């Protein structure tokens, strides 16, 4: 029974990860629909509508509740505040990147996420990586260093997005709050800042014009679905394995940037993507190697005579 329950949890985690990253994959198209709105205002409306949707959920679903008693711990409260800062940075940088036509930079940032997640898995959670996974990290870091040397400029947007989300995933894995209540508290903390900003600055002319207004309202749902799914997944599958699914969104972003919005691949970006793809292949091979090893050990255990 325990093995069946564990398998079910793993399967649910995999499904949740797929939902999360496929939804994130269509983000460039979604946020380009609001290109006439200032990125900071989009961020503020996104916070308000996300919190509104969560408020409705917590009000209408009896089993959802905020465990305020758990926040008496300064450590847990600190984790919530840190997660709030990290996810707000990630949200804003992505919106900004899309608004200025830098979807490729956003894509590269998400390609780097698995490498950073794997490093955090080792450093924070004591996860063990085989030689192929370790080699993938070395290749990815070397590729980034070479890219910086050729381009002569640090891709700040890419690195900011990669670091903020990898750290956010690690912080949320440390938190004892469930997915919904943790995200609810994070958006609730951001609401006063969003309200203050929208009250003090002139609103973009298209804010209340259909269909832009509809896209702004929908940003709440589009934000919550992948985030809740991702947080749910990180609690059920290893952080290093979770990194594998993170390649779905940047692959979609890359295809959208080049195929739909005609962004160009210069030499530095080509090297960055080439080395990252090599790292991806090595990381995937490492995951497959781990699974083959686990299968072999299970078979050996099953055939071993009992004493």
């Amino acid at each position: 029974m325990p093995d069946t329950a564990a398998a079910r949890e793993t399967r649910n985690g995999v499904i949740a990860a797929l939902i999360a990253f496929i939804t994130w994959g269509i983000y460039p198209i979604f946020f380009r629909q609001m290109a006439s709105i200032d990125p900071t205002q989009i961020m503020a409306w996104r916070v308000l509508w996300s919190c509104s949707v969560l408020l409705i959920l917590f009000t209408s679903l009896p089993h959802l509740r905020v465990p305020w008693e758990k926040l008496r711990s300064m450590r847990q409260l600190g984790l919530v505040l840190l997660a709030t800062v990290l996810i707000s940075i990630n949200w804003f940088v992505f919106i900004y990147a899309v608004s200025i036509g830098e979807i490729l930079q956003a894509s590269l940032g998400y390609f780097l996420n698995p490498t950073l997640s794997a490093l955090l898995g080792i450093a924070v959670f004591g996860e063990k990586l085989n030689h192929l996974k370790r080699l993938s990290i070395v290749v990815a870091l070397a590729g980034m260093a070479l890219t910086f040397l050729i381009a002569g400029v640090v891709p700040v947007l890419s690195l900011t997005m990669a670091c903020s989300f990898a750290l956010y995933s690690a912080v949320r894995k440390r938190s004892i709050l469930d997915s919904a209540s943790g995200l609810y508290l994070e958006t609730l903390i951001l609401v006063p800042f969003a309200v203050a900003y929208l009250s003090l600055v002139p609103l973009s002319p298209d804010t209340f014009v259909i269909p832009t207004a509809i896209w702004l309202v929908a940003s709440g749902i589009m934000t919550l679905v992948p985030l809740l799914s991702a947080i749910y997944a990180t609690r059920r599958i290893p952080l290093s394995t979770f990194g594998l699914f993170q390649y779905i969104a940047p692959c979609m972003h890359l295809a959208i940037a080049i195929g739909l919005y005609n962004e160009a691949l210069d030499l530095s970006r080509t090297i960055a993507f080439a080395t990252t793809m090599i790292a991806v292949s090595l990381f995937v091979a490492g995951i497959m190697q781990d699974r083959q090893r686990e299968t072999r050990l299970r078979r050996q255990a099953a055939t071993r005579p009992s004493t």
Side-chain angles (χ1 to χ4, degrees):
M1 288 297 291
D3 291 340
T4 302
R8 187 184 306 115
E9 285 291 282
T10 300
R11 182 175 63 252
N12 291 341
V14 168
I15 293 172
L18 287 172
I19 292 172
F21 288 104
I22 290 174
T23 305
W24 272 318
I26 63 174
Y27 262 20
I29 297 174
F30 178 80
F31 283 103
R32 279 294 280 262
Q33 307 309 308
M34 296 170 275
S36 61
I37 307 293
D38 180 80
T40 310
Q41 290 188 28
I42 296 176
M43 172 69 180
W45 286 113
R46 184 180 185 182
V47 167
L48 291 180
W49 286 116
S50 297
C51 191
S52 299
V53 174
L54 282 168
L55 178 61
I56 294 172
L57 290 176
F58 272 81
T59 303
S60 57
L61 301 177
H63 67 279
L64 289 180
R65 56 178 291 274
V66 179
W68 298 107
E69 66 278 2
K70 294 182 179 180
L71 295 178
R72 294 174 184 173
S73 164
M74 291 301 296
R75 180 177 181 276
Q76 290 300 315
L77 181 58
L79 288 174
V80 172
L81 293 175
L82 180 56
T84 302
V85 172
L86 291 170
I87 199 60
S88 61
I89 292 173
N90 188 267
W91 285 1
F92 177 77
V93 173
F94 182 82
I95 294 172
Y96 177 74
V98 172
S99 70
I100 63 173
E102 286 287 350
I103 299 174
L104 282 175
Q105 267 220 64
S107 174
L108 182 57
Y110 280 124
F111 269 122
L112 287 172
N113 268 339
T115 299
L116 295 181
S117 291
L119 286 173
L120 288 173
I122 298 171
V124 180
F125 301 104
E127 296 180 6
K128 304 296 183 181
L129 300 185
N130 60 33
H131 68 284
L132 287 174
K133 290 182 179 179
R134 291 195 297 270
L135 181 59
S136 75
I137 293 175
V138 173
V139 170
L141 294 178
M144 287 300 99
L146 183 59
T147 300
F148 301 159
L149 290 175
I150 293 177
V153 62
V154 176
V156 176
L157 297 180
S158 298
L159 292 177
T160 302
M161 289 185 59
C163 292
S164 60
F165 191 73
L167 288 170
Y168 175 76
S169 298
V171 169
R172 291 298 286 115
K173 195 175 181 72
R174 283 289 191 188
S175 175
I176 60 177
L177 297 176
D178 62 83
S179 304
S181 60
L183 188 56
Y184 182 37
L185 288 174
E186 290 160 14
T187 56
L188 197 61
I189 291 170
L190 291 172
V191 163
F193 299 98
V195 171
Y197 178 81
L198 292 174
S199 301
L200 294 174
V201 301
L203 297 180
S204 299
D206 291 341
T207 300
F208 302 104
V209 176
I210 296 175
T212 305
I214 296 176
W215 291 117
L216 288 172
V217 174
S219 67
I221 297 174
M222 286 293 289
T223 295
L224 296 181
V225 169
L227 268 177
L228 289 175
S229 299
I231 295 170
Y232 180 92
T234 57
R235 292 178 175 273
R236 286 159 178 82
I237 57 179
L239 197 61
S240 55
T241 301
F242 178 76
L244 172 64
F245 294 95
Q246 296 184 42
Y247 295 119
I248 296 173
C251 283
M252 294 177 66
H253 295 170
L254 178 61
I256 290 170
I258 297 175
L260 192 59
Y261 298 119
N262 300 315
E263 288 191 31
L265 274 173
D266 56 21
L267 178 60
S268 62
R269 286 177 172 178
T270 301
I271 292 174
F273 279 111
T275 54
T276 301
M277 290 305 174
I278 294 173
V280 168
S281 301
L282 291 169
F283 197 87
V284 172
I287 291 176
M288 297 305 295
Q289 187 180 77
D290 281 342
R291 290 178 178 173
Q292 290 173 357
R293 180 175 178 274
E294 291 171 2
T295 301
R296 185 170 62 252
L297 290 175
R298 282 198 299 268
R299 288 175 178 171
Q300 290 175 354
T303 57
R304 187 179 299 126
S306 57
T307 56

